[in-house]
Amino acid sequence: MSPIHGMPSRAGVGLRLPHVEEAVATQPAAGWFEIHPENFLANPHATELLQDVATRYPVSVHTVGVSVGSVSGIDRAHLRRVRALVDRVDPVLVSGHLAWSTHGAEYLNDLLPLPFDEETLRLVARHLDEVQDGLGRPFLLENPSSYVGFTGSTMTEAQFLNALVDRTGCQLLCDVSNVYVSAHNLGYDARAYLDELPATAIAELHLGGFTPDDDEGTPGGVVLVDTHASEVAGDAWDLYAYAIDRFGVRPTLIEWDNEIPALATLLGQAAYADAGVARTVTREARVVAR
Ligand SMILES: [Fe+2]
């Protein structure tokens, strides 16, 4: 088992609606599944199937609609709906994003960036307290994929995440592909970023595909877009190996949300992640034995 109680050390995959019936019917050899509650809240049939999945596999709930960065506050009605689903499927982990995606009753289709300063820190910490109280459990916060920075930021993203962990007791979901994408787009060192994160607070890792696109404003003329529409890139696998070295083995999720392939392809990516972990752990064991 992984150091996260109730989670296997094998990698899991994102369970999207096109694969739910197949997962129930075929019971594939998946380590665990992560779902977006917003896909299920208005779909009673899919929710019933999800409850079946949750009796056979560890499940993680990853919300895209609880917006901890919104100045207009947390949508408490939505938080209650997510809590109701959490109570039905009893997930091992519940997570969301360091971003804002709502303003009042307005739901935006993007996870938008925040400046990293003391005022935003107080706002996000207050909202995290509210979310953790509302869910009755710890919440994992995921680092964003970034395309712009704010000149007014007074701390780095990693310092901001460290401060949130200290103030709220939240845990962190480190999306390794997001670190790779952001480091490329904003021109910083991805490994130095991982070095700055508090290892004991990392409860989950993500890996997803990204897409290069021409962009004059980005160093080198290429922006990396976090599309979740392809296999994990080779350089992101290298950064994943570094993350495992740095944090130890953590539950790792393969995310694929657009141009979704066969479930077998996702499971193949998860198996590749497991093989990478096995290589890293074996190498560590050899070093210790010397
Ligand atoms: Fe992610």
Side-chain angles (χ1 to χ4, degrees):
M1 297 291 286
S2 84
I4 311 304
H5 182 68
M7 277 305 230
S9 53
R10 294 170 57 198
V13 300
L15 181 61
R16 306 300 176 241
L17 288 178
H19 295 144
V20 174
E21 293 204 3
E22 182 183 351
V24 171
T26 65
Q27 296 176 35
W32 53 284
F33 287 114
E34 184 162 285
I35 62 105
H36 294 169
E38 288 78 12
N39 289 342
F40 292 87
L41 292 176
N43 192 332
H45 176 59
T47 301
E48 272 178 34
L49 293 175
L50 174 61
Q51 282 184 273
D52 191 306
V53 169
T55 63
R56 301 170 198 282
Y57 300 90
V59 167
S60 161
V61 166
H62 184 55
T63 173
V64 292
V66 173
S67 176
V68 297
S70 292
V71 290
S72 57
I74 297 291
D75 180 342
R76 292 182 184 167
H78 185 64
L79 185 61
R80 281 194 295 274
R81 288 191 289 271
V82 172
R83 169 69 189 260
L85 188 73
V86 163
D87 288 344
R88 287 178 75 173
V89 300
D90 191 23
V92 180
L93 302 170
V94 181
S95 58
H97 302 88
L98 176 61
W100 67 280
S101 57
T102 64
H103 187 70
E106 202 78 17
Y107 269 73
L108 310 166
N109 220 4
D110 286 299
L111 298 166
L112 296 165
L114 295 163
F116 300 127
D117 57 20
E118 185 58 37
E119 185 183 352
T120 313
L121 184 60
R122 280 196 300 272
L123 177 92
V124 175
R126 195 169 67 240
H127 291 160
L128 278 173
D129 287 342
E130 199 177 326
V131 169
Q132 294 188 117
D133 285 349
L135 294 174
R137 56 164 68 216
F139 191 69
L140 279 59
L141 197 60
E142 176 176 351
N143 57 295
S145 53
S146 301
Y147 308 92
V148 292
F150 290 84
T151 52
S153 287
T154 55
M155 56 189 104
T156 65
E157 184 177 294
Q159 288 167 341
F160 194 84
L161 288 167
N162 271 281
L164 286 171
V165 169
D166 288 345
R167 290 190 189 193
T168 71
C170 75
Q171 297 173 315
L172 298 179
L173 189 177
C174 177
D175 188 316
V176 174
S177 297
N178 287 358
V179 174
Y180 187 85
V181 163
S182 300
H184 169 88
N185 291 341
L186 302 188
Y188 61 76
D189 183 331
R191 285 171 168 76
Y193 176 98
L194 293 178
D195 288 344
E196 253 194 282
L197 293 181
T200 54
I202 309 282
E204 184 183 341
L205 302 174
H206 271 183
L207 283 166
F210 51 78
T211 307
D213 202 0
D214 293 339
D215 181 61
E216 284 177 9
T218 305
V222 175
V223 65
L224 298 181
V225 183
D226 181 33
T227 51
H228 294 185
S230 61
E231 292 188 340
V232 177
D235 289 350
W237 285 119
D238 292 343
L239 191 60
Y240 176 61
Y242 185 85
I244 292 291
D245 266 341
R246 164 86 176 84
F247 304 135
V249 178
R250 292 290 186 274
T252 299
L253 182 87
I254 303 298
E255 286 190 297
W256 201 320
D257 293 287
N258 295 297
E259 299 171 42
I260 298 174
L263 185 55
T265 302
L266 299 180
L267 295 169
Q269 291 270 282
Y272 191 77
D274 288 338
V277 168
R279 274 196 301 277
T280 302
V281 171
T282 306
R283 192 174 63 240
E284 277 174 4
R286 275 202 304 269
V287 171
V288 170
R290 253 180 230 152

